[in-house]
Amino acid sequence: MDLAYTEAEEEFRRRLREWLAGVLPGLPPKPSPDDWPARRAYDTAWQRMLYDAGYAGLHWPRDAGGQGATPTQHLIFLEETEKAGAPYVGANFVGLLHAGPTIAAEGTAEQRARWLPPVLRGDEIWCQGFSEPDAGSDLAALRTRAVRDGDDYVVSGSKIWTSHAEVADWCELLVRTDPGAPKHRGISWLAMPMDAPGITVRPLRTLAGSTEFAEVFLDEVRVPVRNRVGAENDGWRVTMVTLSFERGTAFVGEVVACRRTLEALAAEARRNGRWDDPVLRRRLGRLNAEFRALWRLTQANVSESERTGGVPGVGGSVFKLRYSGIRQELYEAAAEVLGAEGAFDLDREWALDRLSSLSYTIAAGTSQIQRNIVAERILGLPKGR
């Protein structure tokens, strides 16, 4: 493992900083959080700027339309764009971070040619149709059915927590194609067009007041068999590829953001007099050490990814498990620094981030699921009964 950056990597960082410094001042104001068509337009315009500058799909392989950059260069990209305050991947995140890499790794040549260029250019948005109301955290217990009918699957069921379904063009959808098989088998991965007849989208309002999630109801939706990624009934393995990307580098920018938040909290504590409390100072110091350790763990995971051809390993579950908890602790400390009046003022970004932090032990795989992955796949412990 080598945690030092090479001369070429530092040169890549310098060029990226120069580009960001030149383009960010000219961006329009961010749209209202409630205006999803405007948010889609804003996010896809930024994606097109990245594409034109050669930064879209930076770490994707060249034969998938990417730049073939190393995982370390991708890490530098995520770090520098977050530090510079560049737009987050936003509505593009499922396509860029989940569906796109999965199709690049598992799709046919025709599927890669059809779906990857529009993702990289920001022309098409994807949503994720994995979770179901009755399955909880047990993804393998999904019950949305897909019955083969000639060249189509006929899909019926429902999904929940479907990110950006209101503005999506495509959905990476998990369906059960063999109800008689053991629950981890008999699952297939489909690309479903969101304008197909029989789809109903019902937005869900979160604790923070946003509507980036939705329920999706599927009533005999016809999806072409050619839209299946991987073999029929091999969807569980394909999904593990998707989730390895989700838990690999997807939270890197947020670690950088949390470190900035921690610095701002320390500055606020010095300003309002709470810095005199030694218990608070120790708490902030421990959080600083935790986030520095998470950054080193990220670098270690990236080093492993470079050795394994770019697919993140199960070490991402260790990162995700600890990050979920420490982010909540960060905003508990924010409440202590700001006091009750400042911490619960919903007009302040602090309060909204605090509410958002509560979801992180559930999103992208609950902490209980992550502990099972760490126990079974890293520590080699027997499966629980």
Side-chain angles (χ1 to χ4, degrees), residues 42-332:
Y42 183 87
D43 293 340
T44 54
W46 171 245
Q47 181 62 29
R48 183 67 197 216
M49 292 178 69
L50 292 173
Y51 179 83
D52 290 341
Y55 290 116
L58 190 68
H59 62 304
W60 289 19
R62 292 188 182 278
D63 62 2
Q67 303 299 316
T70 66
T72 298
Q73 288 176 314
H74 184 222
L75 180 66
I76 292 170
F77 172 81
L78 294 172
E79 180 184 14
E80 292 300 324
T81 51
E82 180 61 41
K83 284 182 176 179
Y88 178 59
V89 64
N92 294 302
F93 93 89
V94 173
L96 285 167
L97 304 182
H98 302 170
T102 303
I103 293 167
E106 298 289 332
T108 65
E110 293 77 11
Q111 289 170 340
R112 287 152 62 101
R114 166 59 188 89
W115 286 312
L116 297 184
V119 167
L120 291 175
R121 292 192 301 263
D123 293 342
E124 293 179 344
I125 298 296
W126 285 67
C127 62
Q128 186 180 76
F130 283 12
S131 300
E132 294 187 3
D134 296 326
S137 296
D138 187 5
L139 183 60
L142 67 89
R143 294 193 289 185
T144 295
R145 291 280 304 275
V147 178
R148 182 77 176 260
D149 181 23
D151 292 334
D152 293 335
Y153 289 107
V154 180
V155 181
S156 295
S158 65
K159 297 291 180 176
I160 198 167
W161 310 124
T162 308
S163 304
H164 304 313
E166 312 97 303
V167 293
D169 303 293
W170 292 90
C171 177
E172 54 170 350
L173 184 72
L174 289 185
V175 295
R176 188 161 295 283
T177 42
D178 184 355
K183 67 178 187 178
H184 285 85
R185 300 174 185 173
I187 294 172
S188 297
W189 196 108
L190 303 180
M192 180 179 70
M194 289 298 289
D195 60 355
I199 299 176
T200 301
V201 176
R202 183 182 300 164
L204 293 169
R205 191 165 295 278
T206 69
L207 182 64
S210 60
T211 57
E212 65 264 29
F213 301 115
E215 292 180 282
V216 177
F217 300 92
L218 309 169
D219 183 12
E220 297 189 348
V221 180
R222 301 189 76 88
V223 179
V225 172
R226 66 176 180 274
N227 287 15
R228 187 189 67 230
V229 175
E232 184 170 283
N233 301 325
D234 192 33
W236 181 258
R237 184 191 62 79
V238 176
T239 300
M240 291 305 100
V241 173
T242 301
L243 295 180
S244 74
F245 286 107
E246 183 176 34
R247 296 163 187 164
T249 56
F251 293 102
V252 166
E254 297 191 34
V255 172
V256 177
C258 284
R259 294 177 72 178
R260 286 211 325 266
T261 297
L262 184 60
E263 293 173 359
L265 277 179
E268 176 67 14
R270 292 186 180 94
R271 189 193 65 78
N272 65 21
R274 288 183 169 85
W275 189 254
D276 296 335
D277 181 353
V279 175
L280 176 63
R281 291 202 305 273
R282 282 197 297 272
R283 186 175 190 180
L284 296 181
R286 184 182 64 80
L287 286 168
N288 183 53
E290 290 269 11
F291 282 115
R292 288 172 64 88
L294 276 177
W295 186 251
R296 289 302 191 187
L297 177 59
T298 298
Q299 291 177 307
N301 288 340
V302 165
S303 293
E304 179 186 9
S305 180
E306 289 188 334
R307 291 196 303 272
T308 58
V311 176
V314 293
S317 288
V318 178
F319 171 89
K320 201 282 178 175
L321 177 62
R322 187 57 194 134
Y323 173 73
S324 299
I326 202 63
R327 182 183 173 94
Q328 292 186 4
E329 293 180 35
L330 171 66
Y331 286 100
E332 289 171 3

Side-chain angles (χ1 to χ4, degrees), residues 274 335 338-345:
R274 288 183 169 85
L338 300 171
E341 181 177 342
F344 297 101
D345 180 357

